[in-house]
């Protein structure tokens, strides 16, 4: 198809981040090189409530950091994920939990040269941009998914590019 890169999903199945040892990392990197491909991003989306609950954050934050380290070993500097729907109320417990989780993961990611890219869709681009500014971490960016913007929020994906331009590190597309 002429692709230059791929996005690897590493949450479950034979490509789960838990199954990658040094031998598997080498085999995957060798296969990619043999086909002149790079890993544009690693998808570390664990589903559920995103990062809105303490119970899920207790395991999702460390798991996300493991995914970031794997991304680095696979030559990628981007981990894509959904974080849940950012609440409008910046003082709500859920907003604060999500912000703290993203700050923790983002600061770790930045320390190893990786960016956690929040996928667009659950909220309008303006809300996401404000949230990222509030998180204030060099390791947090955006994975632009134009279809999600249209299908979920009715947001204008072209305007979203202008709104999120300082944060976009990856994009993927689908028929929405």
């Amino acid at each position: 198809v002429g692709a230059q890169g791929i996005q690897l999903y590493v949450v479950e199945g034979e490509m789960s981040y838990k199954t990658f040892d040094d031998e598997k990392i080498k085999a995957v990197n060798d296969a990619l090189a043999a086909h002149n491909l790079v890993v544009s991003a690693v998808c570390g989306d664990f589903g559920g409530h995103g990062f809105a609950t303490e119970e899920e954050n207790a395991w999702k934050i460390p798991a996300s950091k493991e995914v970031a380290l794997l991304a680095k070993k696979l030559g990628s500097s981007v981990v894509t994920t959904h974080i849940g729907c950012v609440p409008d109320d910046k003082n709500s417990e859920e907003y604060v939990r999500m912000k703290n989780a993203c700050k923790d993961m983002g600061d770790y990611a930045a320390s190893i040269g990786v960016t956690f890219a929040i996928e667009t869709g659950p909220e309008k681009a303006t809300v996401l941009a404000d949230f990222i500014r509030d998180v204030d971490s060099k390791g947090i960016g955006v994975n632009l998914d134009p279809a999600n913007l249209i299908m979920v929020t009715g947001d204008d994906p072209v305007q979203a590019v202008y709104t999120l331009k300082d944060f976009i590190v990856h994009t993927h597309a689908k028929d929405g």
Side-chain angles (χ1 to χ4, degrees), residues 121-125 146-157:
E123 61 282 307
K124 300 254 185 206
N148 280 356
L149 290 166
I150 293 169
M151 294 184 311
V152 181
T153 65
D155 212 359
D156 177 356

Side-chain angles (χ1 to χ4, degrees), residues 67-125:
V67 169
L69 190 55
L70 175 60
K72 181 80 172 175
K73 291 177 180 180
L74 294 172
S76 180
S77 61
V78 177
V79 173
T80 62
T81 190
H82 285 273
I83 63 166
C85 187
V86 176
D88 292 329
D89 180 1
K90 290 185 176 191
N91 296 313
S92 72
E93 289 181 24
E94 187 175 328
Y95 183 96
V96 172
R97 259 193 307 276
M98 291 172 75
K99 177 183 167 185
N100 291 341
C102 288
K103 176 74 171 164
D104 184 4
M105 294 184 310
D107 288 352
Y108 173 77
S111 78
I112 63 169
V114 173
T115 302
F116 275 102
I118 300 168
E119 187 162 331
T120 56
E123 61 282 307
K124 300 254 185 206

Side-chain angles (χ1 to χ4, degrees), residues 9-67:
Y9 177 75
V10 298
V11 173
E12 57 189 25
E14 72 178 74
M15 294 301 283
S16 168
Y17 70 100
K18 294 177 183 179
T19 68
F20 277 82
D21 56 16
D22 290 342
E23 185 178 320
K24 186 170 183 174
I25 290 167
K26 182 180 180 338
V28 169
N29 282 334
D30 289 349
L32 290 164
H35 291 90
N36 296 315
L37 292 171
V38 298
V39 178
S40 64
V42 170
C43 180
D45 190 336
F46 292 101
H49 298 98
F51 293 94
T53 70
E54 288 296 334
E55 182 180 31
E56 289 184 6
N57 288 355
W59 66 267
K60 283 183 180 179
I61 292 171
S64 295
K65 290 177 180 180
E66 287 183 49
V67 169

